[in-house]
Amino acid sequence: MHNTNGTHYQQRQHFVTKRTGQLNFDSFCKVCVPYLETEDDEALQKELKEAFRLYDKAGNGYIPTSSLREILAALDDQLTNDQLDEMIAEIDTDSSGTVDFEEFMEMMTGE
């Protein structure tokens, strides 16, 4: 039996679709976010550095935007070349043709 008086139940009921009684993914994320542990900045930066190293295969301290383009295209094969160009331009803020760790971190954290 569900606890109908609890905050969890109320939040879930707020996001449940009336037709199916199920949560879609966006609603699921909204329900879960308050319960996720927030990582400290140091742990997050360590994880992002490790991820960056995976893409910085040559160890140069940057990811070529051509590699980033391939990664983004692989993640969403519906992206057009124009959309990829726009995304790359937003990420490569100094127009260097590369993404350094700072730009990568901004991309991953939205900050």
Side-chain angles (χ1 to χ4, degrees), residues 5-109:
N5 294 326
T7 304
H8 301 301
Y9 180 81
Q10 291 169 351
Q11 286 177 337
R12 183 184 177 281
Q13 288 306 105
H14 176 74
F15 292 111
V16 168
T17 61
K18 298 204 186 309
R19 282 183 244 126
T20 65
Q22 297 178 350
L23 291 171
N24 64 27
F25 183 73
D26 289 339
S27 296
F28 174 77
C29 289
K30 289 176 185 174
V31 171
C32 290
V33 164
Y35 307 104
L36 297 175
E37 290 183 34
T38 46
E39 297 183 56
D40 60 38
D41 289 341
E42 187 175 309
L44 177 61
Q45 188 165 5
K46 183 178 178 182
E47 286 180 27
L48 290 176
K49 279 184 180 179
E50 186 61 34
F52 184 80
R53 276 189 227 127
L54 293 174
Y55 296 114
D56 178 18
K57 294 177 179 145
N60 296 325
Y62 61 83
I63 303 167
T65 54
S66 58
S67 296
L68 185 59
R69 173 183 285 278
E70 291 173 13
I71 294 164
L72 294 172
L75 291 172
D76 185 350
D77 62 356
Q78 300 298 312
L79 291 171
T80 66
N81 283 333
D82 288 340
Q83 289 170 321
L84 287 167
D85 289 343
E86 288 177 29
M87 292 173 77
I88 297 292
E90 285 181 31
I91 297 165
D92 183 17
T93 55
D94 61 1
S95 301
S96 64
T98 61
V99 176
D100 60 25
F101 180 70
E102 185 177 310
E103 291 168 322
F104 180 78
M105 191 149 166
E106 287 175 20
M107 173 184 75
M108 298 302 288
T109 62

